Amino acid sequence: MLQRNLFWLSVFISFCASLHAQDEEKEDETTFDLFEISNINKKTIGVKLFRGQDSHSPAYRFLRFDHIPPVRFEKMKQIMDLMQINEGFILTASMRQDKLNRGTIISIEGPGISNRLFELVSNGRANTLDLIYWVDGTQNVISLEDVDLSDSQWKNITVQLTGENFNLYVGCDLMDNFRLEETFYEHLSGVNNKMYLAKGSIRENHFRVRHFSVF
């Protein structure tokens, strides 16, 4: 019997090195609503529409992870290009996660079977946020500790993966940070790869049942 985990999420990915407040067009080109560009809506097979935290914003119950659509190719390629130009990315999310829940927030897959390249995992069992990436077939795991994301409370988080820095903020508070020895994103490209929300590299890393919401 599948364990039922609660996970609500609103995710945006941005490249603030290229943002200018006075340049709205440029801002639109460098900030992405990952639910919108994944075509996740009430008509998506395998998801069911619910009311989220904000009555004006949809939430989704994911029922079939094999039907989760990837980020649109042209947008994924644009994200990959910007990631390399700006040496990383900034991900912002509003999330609510049950205790002892473990699941992937965002992932990138290469061609072939089980060819995972990158995933960001909120690991409530270890109370960590795990950055997992593969280079030349070798898995690397970097964990930010004592992050307190999995307590059934709404959290506004910012994940900064810029240059050699991996930081997590909850609200305005820095929870933990790590200095990378390898800028793995330099090995990523938009060619033949796919980006997903909520789809883990293994079955137990899927967020099983409940809501994702976009504001």
Side-chain angles (χ1 to χ4, degrees), residues 71-180:
V71 170
R72 294 199 298 270
F73 174 76
E74 68 277 8
K75 292 297 184 181
M76 188 271 296
K77 187 177 185 306
Q78 188 177 358
I79 289 172
M80 294 295 98
D81 291 344
L82 285 168
M83 191 182 296
Q84 295 190 2
I85 291 171
N86 293 302
E87 298 184 336
F89 62 88
I90 296 173
L91 182 146
T92 59
S94 296
M95 58 180 284
R96 177 180 173 183
Q97 183 178 357
D98 269 3
K99 296 178 181 179
L100 302 181
N101 181 315
R102 184 173 188 266
T104 297
I105 298 174
I106 186 172
S107 63
I108 298 174
E109 293 182 358
I113 300 175
S114 300
N115 187 11
R116 184 58 54 105
L117 302 176
F118 158 78
E119 62 182 329
L120 187 66
V121 177
S122 180
N123 187 350
R125 301 171 190 171
N127 197 17
T128 61
L129 180 71
D130 300 333
L131 169 65
I132 306 172
Y133 64 91
W134 288 257
V135 176
D136 296 328
T138 300
Q139 184 189 70
N140 302 268
V141 181
I142 298 171
S143 297
L144 301 183
E145 300 180 340
D146 300 324
V147 296
D148 296 332
L149 298 181
S150 179
D151 63 359
S152 301
Q153 302 296 318
W154 280 96
K155 306 285 185 177
N156 294 317
I157 71 169
T158 301
V159 178
Q160 293 182 339
L161 188 58
T162 53
E164 298 176 343
N165 299 310
F166 175 36
N167 304 322
L168 170 66
Y169 291 86
V170 176
C172 296
D173 297 326
L174 177 64
M175 303 303 292
D176 198 9
N177 65 305
F178 190 92
R179 189 169 182 83
L180 302 176

